[in-house]
Amino acid sequence: MVGESRRTTLADVARHADVSLATASRVLSGRGPVDHAARRRVHVAAAELGYVPDPAARALATRGGTRVAVVVGGHSAHVLNDPYVGRVVAATAEVAAAREVGVSLHWLPLHDPAELGRLVEHRGIGGVVLVNPTTTALAVVPQAMRGRVAAIGIGSRDVPSFDVDNGAGAARVVEHLLASGRRRVAMITGPPWLPCTHRAAAAYRRVVGEAGSPVRLVPGDFTAARGGTASAEVMARWPDTDAVFALGDLTALGAR
């Protein structure tokens, strides 16, 4: 009998079932051939001993990884300070914690998308959530990680993606401003390399165009510093502007 003061191990199960450690591992992992009688003994032994597989040991044994990496693309590591990134990490950690999986945060330099390939080859990483993906970054996802990488933004044939309809969201914001009586609405956009920036800007152009209002676009980069300078640029170029739509939390904070 195994004392309750310690966790039941795979070796305990193997001894109880009178099989080798390798056989017990193959049965409980579902990997490799095992005869029916031995398989049954292992399952019975595991049930009797209350064996629960250790997620870290199993992940290391299968090279599956013991943590999910949240990887964020950007020109500099300051992109990790974006409140949006914080919300992604918090949501990831909430789901991962229930499965005894850790979460780590990484910056992916835009000038070096190959860093993604090097990162995901780390044995401890079992999956990747890619934020601010680009086509060049998606192209370097190693074959071994296909099926274990998901993107928030654009995806590819091998990398599934999930995103919000920020074009429709931008349209609703501008429509609200126009409905409140504003007629000269300027927009501070996001980084030009992000597809979401183009969708939001296109929606803005469409809505103000339909309203007969002028198009006033100033590029932003999702930072508070640029939000401040872009806001000043708006007022210097168009002093009669009566509303500013800032794309992104930090941009809005800097523009206020």
Side-chain angles (χ1 to χ4, degrees):
M1 293 294 292
V2 178
E4 295 182 357
S5 61
R6 69 178 180 85
R7 184 180 185 133
T8 301
T9 67
L10 183 61
D12 295 325
V13 174
R15 282 193 296 270
H16 197 72
D18 194 24
V19 298
S20 69
L21 185 61
T23 296
S25 177
R26 286 198 298 271
V27 171
L28 295 177
S29 67
R31 299 167 181 268
V34 179
D35 70 74
H36 178 74
R39 186 181 302 277
R40 184 176 182 282
R41 291 201 307 275
V42 170
H43 283 304
V44 169
E48 290 179 350
L49 297 177
Y51 174 72
V52 177
D54 178 73
R58 170 172 286 186
L60 289 174
T62 61
R63 291 183 175 267
T66 56
R67 59 188 164 95
V68 174
V70 176
V71 182
V72 187
H75 281 295
S76 74
H78 289 299
V79 70
L80 302 181
N81 298 325
D82 193 311
Y84 168 66
V85 173
R87 293 194 293 271
V88 172
V89 172
T92 305
E94 181 179 358
V95 175
R99 294 162 174 78
E100 300 183 38
V101 175
V103 176
S104 56
L105 179 62
H106 309 265
W107 166 48
L108 176 62
L110 285 186
H111 65 272
D112 186 18
E115 174 62 22
L116 177 62
R118 294 189 289 270
L119 176 66
V120 298
E121 288 175 353
H122 190 283
R123 183 172 182 175
I125 293 179
V128 172
V129 176
L130 183 58
V131 183
N132 296 345
T134 62
T135 54
T136 51
L138 293 171
V140 300
V141 174
Q143 186 67 41
M145 288 297 292
R146 302 292 161 89
R148 289 193 286 159
V149 179
I152 300 178
I154 63 171
S156 68
R157 183 185 63 182
D158 300 304
V159 179
S161 64
F162 307 84
D163 207 356
V164 297
D165 187 356
N166 69 315
R172 299 295 87 78
V173 170
V174 180
E175 288 169 353
H176 170 76
L177 291 172
L178 294 172
S180 70
R182 273 66 176 180
R183 287 295 176 266
R184 295 171 296 279
V185 180
M187 178 182 183
I188 303 174
T189 71
W193 52 271
L194 279 176
C196 66
T197 293
H198 299 286
R199 293 196 299 265
Y204 162 85
R205 287 192 185 93
R206 176 179 58 78
V207 174
V208 298
E210 292 173 351
S213 297
V215 173
R216 298 178 174 181
L217 284 169
V218 173
D221 62 3
F222 288 161
T223 66
R226 177 53 188 160
T229 57
S231 179
E233 183 179 335
V234 166
M235 299 313 298
R237 294 175 63 182
W238 307 293
D240 61 341
T241 296
D242 54 13
V244 176
F245 170 27
L247 193 62
D249 298 339
L250 290 180
T251 301
L253 181 64
R256 66 191 178 114

